[in-house]
Amino acid sequence: MNYSFIVPGVLVLFIIMGYYFFRPRLQIRLNRAFLAILIINIGLQLFECVASRLNETWQNHDPALLIIFNTLFYIFCLSSSYMFFVFTISVLDSNALVSHPLRKYYPVVYFPSIALVLINPVTHWLFRVEDGYHPGPLSGITYICAACYIVFGTIGIFRHIRQLSAHGVISLLALQGILLAGNIARALLPQYIVIDTFCIMGIIVIFMSFLNPDLYLSDRGYAYNFTAFRALLDEYHRRHKPCRILGFAIQNYNEHREIFGGKQMDEALTQINKFMTESFPYLSAFYLRNGSFALVGSNYMDLTALRDRVRERFGRSWITGAGDLRLSVSFVEADTEILDCPSDRLVNTLMISQDEISRVSEPDASCSLTDSIGEINRKLDIRRCLEKALDQDKLEVFLQPLMDCSTGKRVAAEALVRLRDENGDLIRPDLFIGMAEQEGHIVRLGEQVLSHVCQFIRDNDMEKIGIKWINVNLSPVQFMSRDIPSTFSEILQEYGVDESMIHLEITEQSMIDFSLLREQIIGLHDNGFEFSLDDYGSGYSNLTRVRQYPFTNIKIDMEVVHNYCQDRDPLLPALVQGFKEMNLSITAEGIETREMAEILKGIGCDYLQGYYFSRPVPMSEFLVMDI
Ligand code: C2E
Ligand code: MG
Ligand code: MG
């Protein structure tokens, strides 16, 4: 027997183990699997060495010793193949974010093989000790077990190949390749103890690719980094393990960095990391980025006490080479239930909340991540509903009448879009219009609303219901699309509706100075559409600006109307008169009582709109309304 490979192998294993134990490591499955591989492989080397030596010199030893050490060798050899497989699966699971449903069947080869080893002293199927060591008919069980798990692992890698990084795929495939080569070499060269060398090669591949502590440590002190934070939360999420998180962020971090310089801030960050790791050794401490930190612990962690402790420390200065630095922090707290949401959403929300609270709030303020997550989940639900409604053309359009002050009858209507959630409840437009603008859906939304309105005009007798036109709201983002004048005209043509039947509303706040907006408004106006300036008084337009656009109507913002009804200052009547002199008609929004209607009519408004007359109602209801 040639033992020359053993000694350097064992030394390498001890070095890796030293690194593993003397540097911080996260409590995640990957790490536990790796530790198991290390221990099993040290055991394997030891027992293979001893068993081989005993087998060679059997005459000098008690046969019981041969049986014990050969049995141990078989157990550790089988366990080594199995643990390499478990590690491969841990990497796959942590990338796929869900455990594979077949997971509980993974030990189907390992456990029966171990059982065979344990009953071998009776059956002698694997080996027999009688005047030395003699292999039995099933002595090749270690090869079968190894081959099975290499095949299972390889199948797993190809199943998840899309979720893995190229580096991850190569490393895992290399691991399987090395294990395969090791087993072939062992079969071909039984006199050399070579398998251990291959196992060590595998361990080095794993360590360099997945476990090097530097992958998970922040470069400032012994706190973990962002990657580690994600890995830990992934693990908690997958295992449905409750936890608590206290996030805290240095207020106005970037400004501080500019004022005090990077070097001094880095020193302070290192001290904060040190404070966290030393003061809370039982928690996992993270430096995420841009001056934000997190402490993660079990669901028994007392968040209030923890926050007080951090707050107390930040009440004092951080002493750096260039002087003392006083920093203030704000907090984001997260409780157990939060892990119901996917960890990447949790991490993103935490980062956004920390960023927000550290910029806008008072020092020491705190907010709950549960609320933020709830908000984000609601937004995601709304987005889903919106996308579905747009795809299936299921948006609804409600109509609210505009009353003519001279006749007291309705003369027009405003079209207001409505979205229903899965339960059939209405979602307010201010919750989804902004979202539609940001997600690039607003053009489609606007076209669908216009189509509904045109269809309503085509299918019903407008004269009979006293409607001369319908107001349709436009978002400034719709103007970004160059062909809005032609698409709008095409929609009207499709339904045979005249342009004069549609008045377009744009809000005062969207009247930002940009030439395309003006160009498009003029283009639409030339095509025959009329324009209303919506929510006047909520923005900053002055009369000169208003005059540069082809408006025919001004809608006074609801809040301005409400304020005027409470406190009659002379500004609004003067404004209304000014507009009238410019030949613009005036609509007052938000009329909720008869008294308000009288007041607004009294100062010269031409049209009134508000709950006093009617709330926005479905089109079918609008048709039979008696006003
Ligand atoms: P807006 O264009 O100023 O519409 C008037 C809003 O005031 C409507 O809210 C209406 O329901 C509400 N309102 C009417 N009378 C009263 C009243 O007497 N009291 C009170 N408190 N409120 C009253 P809604 O339907 O929630 O719409 C909100 C905003 O969403 C609209 O404000 C408009 O800017 C936008 N929006 C609605 N539909 C569309 C659309 O199809 N396209 C675009 N781009 N925006 C739309
Ligand atoms: Mg409007
Ligand atoms: Mg309005």
Side-chain angles (χ1 to χ4, degrees):
M1 270 289 172
N2 187 326
Y3 298 93
S4 52
F5 291 104
I6 292 270
V7 177
V10 172
L11 290 180
V12 171
L13 280 184
F14 275 113
I15 289 173
I16 295 177
M17 220 165 178
Y19 260 87
Y20 182 83
F21 275 112
F22 291 107
R23 312 232 15 216
R25 61 196 173 279
L26 275 181
Q27 286 305 320
I28 54 177
R29 195 155 75 105
L30 218 61
N31 271 339
R32 285 192 295 272
F34 182 65
L35 183 61
I37 289 179
L38 280 181
I39 293 170
I40 287 170
N41 274 281
I42 289 176
L44 175 63
Q45 308 232 352
L46 193 77
F47 296 129
E48 179 159 27
C49 204
V50 175
S52 303
R53 185 89 199 123
L54 289 173
N55 294 349
E56 273 181 329
T57 55
W58 59 271
Q59 297 91 339
N60 310 335
H61 306 288
D62 185 341
L65 265 185
L66 266 76
I67 294 175
I68 290 171
F69 277 95
N70 279 294
T71 303
L72 283 169
F73 162 72
Y74 270 95
I75 290 175
F76 276 75
C77 192
L78 292 167
S79 303
S80 169
S81 305
Y82 181 59
M83 273 329 286
F84 275 112
F85 168 74
V86 169
F87 181 86
T88 305
I89 292 301
S90 305
V91 175
L92 299 180
D93 275 358
S94 59
N95 282 278
L97 295 181
V98 275
S99 301
H100 195 270
L102 292 180
R103 160 103 77 88
K104 52 180 178 298
Y105 302 110
Y106 290 158
V108 283
V109 181
Y110 175 63
F111 282 157
S113 308
I114 291 287
L116 284 181
V117 177
L118 295 178
I119 58 171
N120 181 65
V122 185
T123 60
H124 303 303
W125 287 340
L126 304 184
F127 64 88
R128 184 166 43 84
V129 176
E130 215 176 271
D131 297 338
Y133 172 91
H134 303 281
L138 292 184
S139 64
I141 185 104
T142 51
Y143 297 108
I144 295 169
C145 184
C148 284
Y149 284 116
I150 291 169
V151 171
F152 292 171
T154 311
I155 293 173
I157 298 167
F158 282 104
R159 269 180 55 98
H160 292 290
I161 201 150
R162 284 190 188 182
Q163 287 106 310
L164 291 169
S165 63
H167 167 78
V169 173
I170 293 170
S171 306
L172 286 181
L173 286 178
L175 175 64
Q176 313 308 313
I178 288 168
L179 296 175
L180 182 67
N183 279 286
I184 293 172
R186 186 158 77 99
L188 298 180
L189 305 165
Q191 71 277 27
Y192 291 96
I193 302 184
V194 285
I195 180 73
D196 305 322
T197 312
F198 285 88
C199 287
I200 289 164
M201 282 163 67
I203 288 171
I204 291 174
V205 167
I206 293 177
F207 186 75
M208 300 302 265
S209 309
F210 305 105
L211 282 152
N212 183 349
D214 291 337
L215 296 176
Y216 289 122
L217 282 178
S218 100
D219 47 3
R220 301 192 181 91
Y222 265 171
Y224 296 109
N225 62 15
F226 188 72
T227 314
F229 187 59
R230 291 190 77 127
L232 185 70
L233 294 188
D234 275 350
E235 174 105 355
Y236 277 134
H237 178 59
R238 217 179 20 255
R239 297 173 61 204
H240 305 291
K241 207 173 141 185
C243 76
R244 283 188 183 165
I245 305 168
L246 177 73
F248 57 95
I250 298 176
Q251 291 200 305
N252 305 315
Y253 173 76
N254 289 324
E255 286 82 351
H256 275 90
R257 216 176 159 83
E258 247 168 54
I259 297 167
F260 297 105
K263 192 163 172 281
Q264 201 178 344
M265 274 310 272
D266 286 348
E267 269 185 59
L269 291 179
T270 310
Q271 288 200 29
I272 298 169
N273 281 346
K274 204 162 160 239
F275 156 73
M276 289 197 296
T277 43
E278 283 173 5
S279 311
F280 313 110
Y282 48 93
L283 302 176
S284 306
F286 299 85
Y287 174 57
L288 302 176
R289 55 174 75 142
N290 276 352
S292 56
F293 303 81
L295 288 162
V296 179
S298 74
N299 55 335
Y300 300 113
M301 173 167 117
D302 181 349
L303 279 174
T304 316
L306 200 65
R307 196 180 59 207
D308 290 346
R309 178 86 178 78
V310 174
R311 188 184 285 156
E312 182 266 325
R313 179 61 191 85
F314 273 87
R316 289 178 279 126
S317 309
W318 303 93
I319 299 163
T320 69
D324 295 2
L325 206 60
R326 209 41 192 271
L327 298 168
S328 45
V329 276
S330 37
F331 298 89
V332 179
E333 295 173 7
D335 218 330
T336 57
E337 63 215 272
I338 222 132
L339 287 164
D340 283 348
C341 95
S343 44
D344 54 344
R345 194 185 305 167
L346 177 90
V347 174
N348 286 344
T349 318
L350 181 82
M351 297 304 290
I352 295 169
S353 308
Q354 283 196 330
D355 191 46
E356 251 174 42
I357 195 167
S358 68
R359 268 187 299 113
V360 300
S361 67
E362 298 288 302
D364 292 343
S366 70
C367 73
S368 149
L369 195 58
T370 323
D371 296 346
S372 315
I373 295 266
E375 214 171 282
I376 286 186
N377 281 341
R378 264 192 304 284
K379 275 197 189 150
L380 287 175
D381 286 344
I382 295 178
R383 188 164 82 185
R384 218 172 308 124
C385 283
L386 176 66
E387 283 169 2
K388 199 167 148 200
L390 281 168
D391 287 344
Q392 303 176 349
D393 197 5
K394 285 275 170 60
L395 284 172
E396 290 175 39
V397 176
F398 279 28
L399 294 173
Q400 188 179 30
L402 268 71
M403 310 302 288
D404 187 339
C405 290
S406 58
T407 62
K409 294 228 170 288
R410 68 179 176 186
V411 64
E414 177 171 5
L416 294 158
V417 66
R418 294 291 181 264
L419 174 66
R420 280 188 200 277
D421 64 16
E422 272 132 19
N423 306 325
D425 297 329
L426 288 173
I427 303 171
R428 294 201 328 264
D430 43 325
L431 294 179
F432 65 87
I433 293 286
M435 184 184 289
E437 288 174 340
Q438 282 163 17
E439 313 266 330
H441 298 314
I442 193 72
V443 172
R444 213 146 50 108
L445 182 146
E447 289 171 9
Q448 292 189 6
V449 170
L450 184 64
S451 301
H452 281 291
V453 170
C454 289
Q455 194 178 2
F456 176 77
I457 297 175
R458 181 195 65 188
D459 295 348
N460 300 286
D461 187 347
M462 291 298 112
E463 236 179 83
K464 197 173 141 215
I465 57 167
I467 294 300
K468 294 201 171 121
W469 73 86
I470 293 183
N471 282 13
V472 172
N473 288 284
L474 274 192
S475 145
V477 182
Q478 284 174 268
F479 291 110
M480 301 287 203
S481 140
R482 278 252 165 217
D483 37 42
I484 179 174
S486 54
T487 359
F488 270 31
S489 293
E490 275 164 30
I491 294 175
L492 264 68
Q493 263 168 27
E494 188 189 332
Y495 291 94
V497 170
D498 193 75
E499 273 81 359
S500 64
M501 285 298 291
I502 304 291
H503 290 195
L504 298 173
E505 289 190 12
I506 38 173
T507 61
E508 193 198 16
Q509 273 148 335
S510 66
M511 295 271 300
I512 25 167
D513 250 333
F514 89 102
S515 54
L516 185 59
L517 181 79
R518 217 176 105 80
E519 229 174 85
Q520 302 268 51
I521 292 181
I522 292 171
L524 282 160
H525 186 252
D526 289 347
N527 284 1
F529 292 97
E530 289 203 18
F531 276 88
S532 265
L533 181 58
D534 199 0
D535 300 345
Y536 184 83
S538 61
Y540 310 97
S541 347
N542 57 35
L543 293 182
T544 331
R545 281 265 316 274
V546 172
R547 215 201 278 264
Q548 289 168 355
Y549 289 82
F551 292 115
T552 49
N553 173 265
I554 306 287
K555 297 183 81 178
I556 312 282
D557 184 58
M558 202 174 329
E559 209 179 310
V560 177
V561 169
H562 288 194
N563 288 345
Y564 179 72
C565 291
Q566 276 167 15
D567 172 20
R568 318 270 169 86
D569 77 47
L571 192 65
L572 190 62
L575 210 69
V576 170
Q577 284 318 309
F579 282 132
K580 298 204 91 161
E581 275 162 34
M582 288 160 69
N583 265 336
L584 295 165
S585 61
I586 313 290
T587 307
E589 294 186 289
I591 305 295
E592 292 182 346
T593 61
R594 190 195 160 124
E595 195 200 350
M596 286 171 82
E598 295 296 330
I599 296 172
L600 272 297
K601 193 176 158 187
I603 62 165
C605 291
D606 303 286
Y607 308 108
L608 302 177
Q609 176 183 356
Y611 293 170
Y612 172 60
F613 305 104
S614 164
R615 287 182 174 262
V617 292
M619 287 174 161
S620 54
E621 220 172 287
F622 187 83
L623 281 173
V624 296
M625 199 188 259
D626 183 27
I627 48 173

